[in-house]
């Protein structure tokens, strides 16, 4: 296989990558607050459809401005449709339904379990990514943190089981989607921007079909829910992906992925400060344990890290919006 051509130099960004990294963490952290406020005026599927629609608009403008080219081939578009369902349509909808009955703080913490699910799935789905003892320990520690957040010793008293299960299922869907993307969409020849824009666009079409079947037009549209959906889409799904794309290109995927560990902290602070959500001691303590476990599951041996950094598929982000992969 011939080496890939060296990328052409790009102009220096206007903002330091640390500033853009911080903005990315804030945007994704506040996404759970936007979902909560959005569901106060719209049905969950409508929140998700609006989110995807405004996100697609931002990414479409970026593709046009950069004169990028859309992916080619029916096979690639088929894989993108599956990725759109697993990484956008399904988890976005699940989080919206979950936040009907659980606080945004809990939803943000559940989102942080994605690396744990990915680690668990890698045992059977990615034979080249077998866990080390440290990573296996991280998996165990992470799920102890989940049980701490949920208050398992109290018999999950006061916890909405359905809403929590939906949020955890959304995070599980992210993990499945990442594995699917890694196995099917690497080496397509298309840019990450065009793949991401096409993926979110396909997810928008999926919700455009589903939403009218399960919802009706609201009798009235309130300002704050509408602004929250616009912000969730334009910022949390569109602009945030452009920020992530730039940060990964400048400092690499490993450093950029650290944004995952700031999201639940910001989501919790936003929920408590702006939505008056109640916070008991086990929520922040459990969240820290989850993040510690998730960080351990992402460790690699030195040789693997060098190999990963030298591969074309590891040099750029996979086409997905939540980082952390998340929200």
């Amino acid at each position: 296989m011939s080496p890939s051509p060296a990328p052409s130099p790009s102009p220096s960004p206007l903002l330091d990558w640390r500033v853009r990294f911080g903005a990315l963490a804030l945007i994704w952290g506040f996404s759970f607050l936007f979902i909560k406020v959005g569901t106060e005026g719209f049905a969950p599927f409508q929140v998700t459809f609006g989110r995807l629609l405004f996100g697609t608009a931002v990414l479409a403008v970026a593709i046009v401005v950069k004169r990028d080219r859309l992916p080619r081939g029916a096979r690639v578009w088929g894989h993108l449709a599956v990725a759109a369902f697993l990484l956008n349509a399904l988890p976005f909808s699940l989080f919206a339904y979950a936040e009907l009955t659980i606080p945004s703080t809990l939803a943000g913490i559940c989102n942080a379990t994605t690396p744990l699910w990915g680690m668990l799935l890698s045992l059977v789905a990615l034979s080249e990514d077998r866990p080390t003892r440290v990573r296996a320990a991280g998996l165990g520690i992470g799920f102890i943190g989940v049980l701490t957040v949920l208050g398992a010793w109290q018999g999950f008293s006061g916890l909405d089981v359905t809403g929590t299960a939906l949020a955890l299922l959304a995070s599980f869907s992210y993990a499945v989607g990442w594995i699917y993307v890694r196995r099917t969409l690497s080496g397509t020849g298309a840019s990450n921007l065009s793949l991401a824009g096409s993926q979110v666009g396909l997810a928008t079409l999926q919700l455009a079909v589903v939403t009218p079947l399960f919802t009706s037009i609201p009798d009235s549209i309130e300002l704050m829910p509408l602004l929250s959906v616009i912000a969730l889409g334009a910022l949390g799904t569109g602009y945030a992906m452009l920020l992530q794309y730039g940060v990964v290109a400048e400092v690499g995927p490993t450093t950029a992925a650290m944004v995952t560990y700031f999201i639940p902290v910001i989501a919790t602070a936003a929920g408590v400060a702006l939505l008056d959500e109640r916070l008991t001691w086990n929520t922040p303590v459990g969240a820290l344990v989850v993040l510690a476990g998730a960080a351990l599951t992402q460790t690699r041996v030195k040789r693997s890290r060098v190999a990963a950094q030298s591969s074309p598929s590891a040099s750029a982000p996979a086409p997905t919006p939540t980082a952390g992969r998340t929200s």
Side-chain angles (χ1 to χ4, degrees), residues 168-193:
L168 291 172
L169 183 59
S171 299
F172 179 78
S173 181
Y174 282 137
V176 175
W178 273 104
I179 290 176
Y180 183 84
V181 165
R182 181 172 171 180
R183 294 173 71 93
T184 62
L185 285 173
S186 61
T188 61
S191 73
N192 290 285
L193 176 59

Side-chain angles (χ1 to χ4, degrees), residues 51-183:
R51 172 183 191 172
L52 290 167
L53 182 64
F54 288 110
T56 298
V58 171
L59 292 171
V61 170
I63 290 173
V64 171
V65 170
K66 292 180 178 292
R67 298 182 179 179
D68 212 338
R69 187 172 58 185
L70 294 178
R72 294 182 177 182
R75 184 171 177 273
V76 173
W77 280 95
H79 288 314
L80 280 171
V82 176
F85 176 75
L86 293 173
L87 288 170
N88 303 110
L90 178 60
F92 288 2
S93 299
L94 288 173
F95 271 123
Y97 271 101
E99 290 199 44
L100 289 176
T101 55
I102 67 172
S104 64
T105 54
L106 179 56
I109 293 170
C110 287
N111 180 80
T113 65
T114 298
L116 304 179
W117 294 119
M119 166 69 183
L120 191 61
L121 288 169
S122 72
L123 295 174
V124 294
L126 293 174
S127 59
E128 75 276 10
D129 197 27
R130 293 296 180 182
T132 62
R133 291 181 180 178
V134 172
R135 296 180 68 205
L139 181 63
I141 291 171
F143 281 110
I144 289 174
V146 172
L147 293 176
T148 303
V149 170
L150 302 182
W153 65 92
Q154 305 175 88
F156 307 108
S157 176
L159 180 73
D160 184 85
V161 176
T162 301
T164 304
L166 290 177
L168 291 172
L169 183 59
S171 299
F172 179 78
S173 181
Y174 282 137
V176 175
W178 273 104
I179 290 176
Y180 183 84
V181 165
R182 181 172 171 180
R183 294 173 71 93

Side-chain angles (χ1 to χ4, degrees), residues 256-279:
M258 293 298 293
V259 72
T260 303
Y261 307 116
F262 293 90
I263 293 173
V265 177
I266 295 170
T268 299
V272 172
L274 300 178
L275 298 179
D276 294 325
E277 294 179 344
R278 190 170 61 90
L279 192 66

